[in-house]
Amino acid sequence: MNTYQATRLVAAREIKVKLRDKSFLYGTLIFLLIAVASTVLPALLRGGPSTVAVTAAQASPLRTAGLEVLVVADDAAAERAVRAGDADAAVVAGPIVIGDDRAPDDVVRALSTAPTVRLLDPDAVDPVTAYLVPFAFAFVFFIMSQTFGIQVAQSVTEEKQTRIVEILVAAVPVRALLAGKILAAGALALGQVALIALTALAGMRLAGSGDLLALVAPALGWFVPFFLLGFLLLAAMWAAAGALVNRQEDIAGAATPVQLAVMAPFFAVVFLNDNATAMRILSYLPISSPTAMPVRLFTGDAAGWEPFVALALLLLTAAGFLAAGARVYEGSLLRTNGRTSVRAAWRQRERIG
């Protein structure tokens, strides 16, 4: 069995095991429900347009504003329609707007004469959207990297703790074992992200958020390759951290640098997304570019060539971290006499496989 065949065999086994795991399936379902709720519920909670009882002479401006108009014979009939619940509001001579238990703001706006507005930046993103989209990108990358990364580390440590790793390395090359685990985790994470993205896009379409969909779609397309390479970079670190210890309880201590590498980009993008200079720097740093560059593409702050440069830097860095993680992994995988230091694993990697 060559390295490619061994890698494919390990990856297939890891994926099959995970797809049978109820916690993984339930977690995926919860993420999908959150994606649906965050896109569909706001539109449903806004409700439909108000129904306004008016005479025929007053109906035109209200119809133009998109309100539902109930034409009645006179002002008294309009007021009776509100009392009976047939209309949300009424407009009578004056004009006077009649409401039931709250002021019908949409009717008032429809009857008001607004001044002409000229925007200097008509393509600017809504402030709320400009905050929520960066948070969503950062949150998805943070959660996926954390969840699947920990699972990679736990899988490595479990194999060491049960000594089954000694049987595995006798059958497949060590690097194939590592590559299979990372590729399986990456495929599962990417599949989960793709499902969440498709569900969110479908929710936006159902909610009638066409403008937001057009803004998010290009950035979302770039997020996929950035996410995949960023995840591979971190997964190599998680696997190395898992190989350094012999007990599940010790993973947290060994993985502290990895935890910081996952958390730092999340908080940086969330809190600095309105700082153009900081975001430009973050979008080129391999550890933060998976979230920072898609955010800059969403806000329109990145030139067309920038994501290609950032992606190339991320690819080179991910390859370097994969090579370094593989060396630490090899050097510590069969060491069962307590926690192994990174220096010891780097210098004395096992010549096996």
Side-chain angles (χ1 to χ4, degrees):
M1 182 185 300
N2 59 35
T3 301
Y4 170 74
Q5 292 172 326
T7 300
R8 189 174 63 178
L9 180 64
V10 172
R13 173 186 172 276
E14 293 285 335
I15 290 174
K16 287 178 182 177
V17 170
K18 187 55 64 177
L19 290 178
R20 295 190 185 115
D21 185 358
K22 289 185 178 180
S23 62
F24 171 76
L25 298 177
Y26 289 149
T28 302
L29 180 60
I30 290 172
F31 280 128
L32 295 180
L33 291 175
I34 292 174
V36 171
S38 61
T39 53
V40 175
L41 282 182
L44 294 178
L45 293 175
R46 283 197 299 268
S50 298
T51 299
V52 189
V54 293
T55 59
Q58 298 170 316
S60 181
L62 299 173
R63 284 199 180 100
T64 303
L67 301 175
E68 294 182 7
V69 173
L70 174 64
V71 178
V72 294
D74 52 33
D75 291 350
E79 184 172 340
R80 285 197 300 271
V82 176
R83 293 183 183 278
D86 297 329
D88 301 308
V91 179
V92 298
I96 297 173
V97 178
I98 298 175
D100 186 9
D101 56 356
R102 63 180 180 83
D105 296 333
D106 50 353
V107 179
V108 173
R109 286 194 298 269
L111 295 174
S112 302
T113 302
T116 302
V117 177
R118 181 171 64 90
L119 298 178
L120 297 177
D121 188 7
D123 297 325
V125 180
D126 175 72
V128 176
T129 304
Y131 173 79
L132 291 179
V133 170
F135 179 83
F137 280 129
F139 180 76
V140 168
F141 185 74
F142 171 76
I143 291 296
M144 294 300 171
S145 301
Q146 187 86 346
T147 301
F148 286 95
I150 289 176
Q151 290 173 4
V152 169
Q154 289 175 338
S155 175
V156 172
T157 305
E158 182 182 5
E159 290 173 354
K160 284 189 66 176
Q161 191 170 3
T162 58
R163 307 298 289 265
I164 196 174
V165 69
E166 297 173 8
I167 300 174
L168 292 174
V169 299
V172 298
V174 176
R175 292 207 172 198
L177 186 60
L178 173 64
K181 288 182 179 295
I182 291 178
L183 289 177
L188 289 168
L190 187 60
Q192 203 171 70
V193 168
L195 279 175
I196 293 171
L198 291 174
T199 303
L201 293 175
M204 290 180 193
R205 191 175 294 276
L206 288 174
S209 304
D211 295 340
L212 180 59
L213 181 60
L215 285 172
V216 171
L220 198 57
W222 274 107
F223 178 67
V224 172
F226 273 98
F227 171 85
L228 182 58
L229 291 178
F231 178 83
L232 292 177
L233 185 156
L234 292 171
M237 298 172 64
W238 278 111
L244 292 174
V245 297
N246 299 320
R247 301 185 308 161
Q248 300 278 347
E249 297 84 354
D250 298 330
I251 292 178
T256 299
V258 192
Q259 297 272 17
L260 294 175
V262 173
M263 295 174 63
F266 171 73
F267 289 109
V269 172
V270 168
F271 292 113
L272 299 176
N273 67 82
D274 57 347
N275 187 317
T277 302
M279 287 299 292
R280 186 178 297 108
I281 295 172
L282 290 172
S283 66
Y284 284 102
L285 292 176
I287 199 172
S288 56
S289 61
T291 51
M293 183 55 76
V295 168
R296 290 187 64 217
L297 291 167
F298 167 72
T299 56
D301 295 332
W305 55 268
E306 290 190 75
F308 294 99
V309 175
L311 198 61
L313 290 173
L314 180 58
L315 175 61
L316 293 174
T317 307
F321 270 80
L322 283 170
R327 178 158 181 164
V328 173
Y329 180 83
E330 287 181 318
S332 56
L333 190 61
L334 295 182
R335 298 170 67 94
T336 57
N337 55 340
R339 178 173 171 176
T340 306
S341 67
V342 175
R343 178 178 297 180
W346 184 269
R347 290 180 175 177
Q348 302 173 20
R349 61 176 177 171
E350 302 290 345
R351 297 294 182 178
I352 55 178

